[in-house]
Amino acid sequence: MMEQKSSLFDRQLACFLARLSRLAGDQLERFEALVRELSASLADGHSCQMVTPGEAELLVRVPHLVSSGPRTPLVLQGPRLYLQRYFCYEQQLASRLLALAAKSLEPIACDALLDLCFPLAPDEKISDQRRAAELALGSPLALIAGGPGTGKTSTVVRILGLLLAVLEPELDIALAAPTGKAARRLQESIVAGRQDLPLPEEIRARIPTEARTLHRLLGVRRHQVSFRHDQANPLPWDVVVVDESSMVDLALMSKLVAALKPGARLILLGDRDQLSSVESGAVFADCVAALPARSVELLRTYRFDRHIHELSLAVNRGTAEEAWRFLVEGGEGALGILTGSLFAEIGRRLEPFLRLAMETGPGDGKDLAALFRQLRSFQVLCAVRQSRCGVTGVNQGVERYLRAQGYDCPAGGWYAGRPIMIQRNEYRLELYNGDVGICLPEAGENGGFRIWFEGRDGQPRSFSPARLPEYETVYGMTVHKSQGSEFDEVLLLLPDQDLPVLSRELIYTAITRARQVVQLSGSREIFCAAVGRRAMRMSGLRECLSQSVSDSPRKRSCR
C-alpha cells in the first residue's frame, strides 16, 4: 500500500480495530497500518484499497474482522480491501444497475416522431442523439455521455417529449443534479429546449421545468446519512433524469438507484472525461465503460469554440506537447498563455464587473441579471486551494490590486461587487454548496449590505450576511467547484510545483468550462506532467459490472 496522509479519525479507527485483532508484534503494526491507509484512501476518492498477496495473507488471519462479505467491518475481495459500508454501497449499486440493464422494454414504434425530433445533418446516417433517444425509449437505464456542447440536455428534452407522446401523457418526471448550481443550469436548459421541441404544446407543457438537487429529491434528514426515500419508501416518479452524473459519488448513486420505484426509468447524463466526484468512486465513468449496451456517447460539438475543442481532445488523448503547442499558437485568440503580471491581469479583467456592481440598484432584476452575466464572463480557476496561485492567494491578491486602484475592497469586509460562494448546503434557505452570490448595498441610508443570488424561478433572492451559511470570496474557485458551470473566458492557474492533484481530468474539466477563450498561467513542465497523469480511482464497480454482464443470467448477482 502507498503511504497516505491520515487524519485523527483514520488513526483512531485503525487503533480500535487493531486492539480487536488479537495480533501482536510486527503483525499488529502491519494490520494497523493497513486499516489506517484504507481509511485515509477514502479522502482521496477511492472506495477500496489494493493490497499485496502478503498483506492479504495477514488479513485473512483475522476472520472476525475480515471476510469476503459484509458480515465483518473489513471486506477482502481478491486484491481489494474495503470498509464494510463502501463494499455494501458498491455491491448494492452494481446489483441494481445490472437488474435495470438486463431488462428490455417493448419496442416503441415512433420512427416518424424520431425523424421529427432528430433530423439528420447532411453527413449523418443516424445521429448520436437519435441513438440516445432509442436507447432511453427501449430500456429503463440510459447512460448518455458527452462533453460540453454536445447537446445532452437538448437530447433529453426530446426524449422526455417522446416518452410523454408515445407512452403516457401523465408520466411523472423528476429532474435532478448533484449540486444546486448544476440543478439551476439543468432547469435553464430544459426551459430553453422545451420551446424548440417540435411536438404539440400539450406535450411540451407536461415536461417539468423544476430541477432539484439529489439530496432534495431523496429527502434530506438532518444529521442522518439516510434519506426519506429508500427501497422501503421509493421515489414516486416514473422517470428520473440526473445531469452532471460524473459528480455523483458512490454512496449517493447507490441510494438513488435503491430508491427508484419498480418500473421507473433512470437517465444519467454526464461527461466521463471530467473530474470524478469529490467523494468516493468514479461511478459514471465506470458505468459507461462496463455497460456499453446501455450507453451512448454524443461526439458532435455544437457550442464550443473549435480551438478549445481541439485542445480538449489533445488533453484527453494525453498528447501533452500537442496541447501545449495549441496554447502557444493561440488559436486565433481563443487560446493563450498568460505572461504578464498575474494579479494585475486578473484585476483588470474584473474591473468592468466591479464598476457595474457599483451602478446596480438593489433588487432590480434586470440589472442583477446583467451583473451575473458580467461575473460569468470571466473566471479564474485554480488547481489548488492554498499558495499564491491557489484560491486563497488569488482572492487576497485580487483585492490588494483593486485597493491599489482605488476601489473600496476592505480585506475580509463587505463591499459592492464582492462575489462569494456558499460552502455548505443550507436547505432551509435553499442555498447550496457552490451557489454564487454578489454583495450590493442595501436600499436606504443605513449603510448595510445584502447578498443577492439568482433564483430558480428567475427572481433574484437576497439575504443579510449574518444569515448565510459558510462562504468564501470567489474571484478564484477550484476546478472541482467549477463543475456544472460555464464561463465565456477562463484563466487556469497551475501551481509552481508538480502535485498529485494535477491530472489530465483536472486540465480537461477546467478548459471545457470556457465557451470562447482559455488562458493558462503555468509552466510547460507542470502542464505536461498534469496532462500525462490520469486521476485513477480505486474501485471494484467497473469489474463487478463487467464480469456480471458476461455471466449467465443466473449468475448476474455481485453478492
Side-chain angles (χ1 to χ4, degrees), residues 90-108:
E90 196 171 277
Q91 293 289 300
Q92 291 165 4
L93 176 60
S95 174
R96 292 182 171 113
L97 285 175
L98 287 167
L100 287 173
K103 186 176 180 182
S104 295
L105 304 177
E106 287 294 321
I108 301 173

Side-chain angles (χ1 to χ4, degrees), residues 437-490:
I438 300 174
C439 177
L440 292 174
E442 275 189 310
E445 303 295 327
N446 62 2
F449 292 95
R450 293 190 71 81
I451 316 304
W452 290 86
F453 295 85
E454 295 175 291
R456 287 193 306 274
D457 56 0
Q459 296 300 313
R461 302 181 301 143
S462 71
F463 301 89
S464 70
R467 294 188 66 199
L468 296 179
E470 296 163 27
Y471 59 85
E472 68 178 2
T473 305
V474 71
Y475 290 119
M477 69 174 69
T478 62
V479 177
H480 265 105
K481 288 286 190 180
S482 74
Q483 289 180 273
S485 298
E486 284 185 347
F487 310 98
D488 294 337
E489 302 182 24
V490 160

Side-chain angles (χ1 to χ4, degrees), residues 227-466:
F227 293 100
R228 286 197 298 273
H229 290 289
D230 54 18
Q231 189 172 8
N233 179 33
L235 295 164
W237 292 283
D238 303 304
V239 181
V240 176
V241 176
V242 181
D243 196 16
E244 297 290 351
S245 295
S246 64
M247 299 169 64
V248 184
D249 63 83
L250 174 64
L252 187 55
M253 188 68 83
S254 179
K255 292 172 184 178
L256 169 67
V257 176
L260 295 174
K261 74 176 185 179
R265 296 170 185 258
L266 178 64
I267 302 174
L268 301 180
L269 313 176
D271 185 346
R272 63 175 178 172
D273 296 315
Q274 270 189 209
L275 282 167
S276 298
S277 59
V278 175
E279 304 296 333
S280 61
V283 175
F284 185 73
D286 285 345
C287 291
V288 170
L291 300 171
R294 294 294 178 255
S295 306
V296 172
E297 184 160 16
L298 310 183
L299 299 174
R300 184 184 288 266
T301 300
Y302 297 93
R303 188 183 61 234
F304 246 0
D305 175 272
R306 68 178 180 87
H307 299 288
I308 299 176
H309 182 54
E310 289 171 353
L311 174 62
S312 70
L313 293 177
V315 169
N316 268 343
R317 289 193 296 268
T319 53
E321 294 293 346
E322 179 187 23
W324 181 259
R325 188 174 69 253
F326 282 140
L327 287 166
V328 171
E329 291 175 353
E332 299 176 345
L335 308 173
I337 297 173
L338 185 66
T339 56
S341 170
L342 177 61
F343 296 128
E345 176 62 21
I346 296 173
R348 182 184 66 79
R349 299 297 307 280
L350 288 168
E351 283 190 76
F353 164 73
L354 264 294
R355 288 195 293 269
L356 184 60
M358 294 175 180
E359 300 166 0
T360 299
D364 189 317
K366 183 177 180 180
D367 287 351
L368 283 168
L371 187 60
F372 275 101
R373 285 196 300 272
Q374 182 66 46
L375 180 61
R376 286 192 293 267
S377 68
F378 172 72
Q379 182 62 53
V380 179
L381 300 183
C382 305
V384 296
R385 290 197 55 82
Q386 306 301 324
S387 85
R388 176 177 176 272
C389 294
V391 171
T392 55
V394 167
N395 289 331
Q396 294 168 5
V398 168
E399 287 188 336
R400 283 197 302 269
Y401 169 85
L402 293 172
R403 285 194 295 272
Q405 301 306 305
Y407 291 92
D408 182 16
C409 300
W414 294 107
Y415 54 87
R418 180 186 176 186
I420 61 108
M421 176 181 281
I422 298 299
Q423 301 294 300
R424 175 178 58 80
N425 293 336
E426 179 50 75
Y427 297 98
R428 182 173 52 86
L429 300 178
E430 294 190 9
L431 289 174
Y432 302 103
N433 186 359
D435 283 354
V436 171
I438 300 174
C439 177
L440 292 174
E442 275 189 310
E445 303 295 327
N446 62 2
F449 292 95
R450 293 190 71 81
I451 316 304
W452 290 86
F453 295 85
E454 295 175 291
R456 287 193 306 274
D457 56 0
Q459 296 300 313
R461 302 181 301 143
S462 71
F463 301 89
S464 70

Side-chain angles (χ1 to χ4, degrees), residues 44-317:
D44 292 329
H46 307 296
S47 61
C48 60
Q49 188 77 306
M50 305 299 287
V51 297
T52 66
E55 291 167 339
E57 184 179 344
L58 169 65
L59 290 165
V60 297
R61 295 178 185 173
V62 195
H64 58 293
L65 296 180
V66 185
S67 69
S68 61
R71 65 182 182 274
T72 51
L74 302 173
V75 179
L76 184 63
Q77 284 265 314
R80 294 184 177 88
L81 179 64
Y82 295 84
L83 290 179
Q84 180 200 67
R85 175 185 292 183
Y86 290 89
F87 174 77
C88 290
Y89 286 147
E90 196 171 277
Q91 293 289 300
Q92 291 165 4
L93 176 60
S95 174
R96 292 182 171 113
L97 285 175
L98 287 167
L100 287 173
K103 186 176 180 182
S104 295
L105 304 177
E106 287 294 321
I108 301 173
C110 59
D111 286 346
L113 286 176
L114 284 165
D115 291 340
L116 182 64
C117 291
F118 300 98
L120 294 178
D123 59 339
E124 289 180 325
K125 292 184 178 178
I126 181 171
S127 69
D128 295 332
Q129 283 80 6
R130 177 165 176 154
R131 290 197 302 113
E134 291 175 345
L135 170 64
L137 291 171
S139 170
L141 175 65
L143 309 169
I144 303 176
T150 53
K152 296 187 293 293
T153 50
S154 62
T155 298
V156 88
V157 169
R158 284 163 167 71
I159 290 171
L160 296 179
L162 289 167
L163 287 171
L164 290 166
V166 302
L167 283 184
E168 172 57 61
E170 301 303 317
L171 279 177
D172 284 327
I173 299 169
L175 306 174
T179 67
K181 180 167 55 178
R184 190 157 47 246
R185 278 205 55 220
L186 172 61
Q187 183 168 304
E188 292 167 356
S189 299
I190 293 290
V191 169
R194 197 172 71 161
Q195 303 306 313
D196 299 328
L197 184 62
L199 291 174
E201 171 57 30
E202 59 268 25
I203 296 297
R204 295 201 301 269
R206 287 291 303 162
I207 297 175
T209 57
E210 180 187 5
R212 303 169 172 86
T213 65
L214 282 172
H215 286 79
R216 279 188 64 211
L217 185 85
L218 289 167
V220 172
R221 289 174 166 172
R222 284 189 175 275
H223 312 302
Q224 295 188 40
V225 297
S226 61
F227 293 100
R228 286 197 298 273
H229 290 289
D230 54 18
Q231 189 172 8
N233 179 33
L235 295 164
W237 292 283
D238 303 304
V239 181
V240 176
V241 176
V242 181
D243 196 16
E244 297 290 351
S245 295
S246 64
M247 299 169 64
V248 184
D249 63 83
L250 174 64
L252 187 55
M253 188 68 83
S254 179
K255 292 172 184 178
L256 169 67
V257 176
L260 295 174
K261 74 176 185 179
R265 296 170 185 258
L266 178 64
I267 302 174
L268 301 180
L269 313 176
D271 185 346
R272 63 175 178 172
D273 296 315
Q274 270 189 209
L275 282 167
S276 298
S277 59
V278 175
E279 304 296 333
S280 61
V283 175
F284 185 73
D286 285 345
C287 291
V288 170
L291 300 171
R294 294 294 178 255
S295 306
V296 172
E297 184 160 16
L298 310 183
L299 299 174
R300 184 184 288 266
T301 300
Y302 297 93
R303 188 183 61 234
F304 246 0
D305 175 272
R306 68 178 180 87
H307 299 288
I308 299 176
H309 182 54
E310 289 171 353
L311 174 62
S312 70
L313 293 177
V315 169
N316 268 343
R317 289 193 296 268

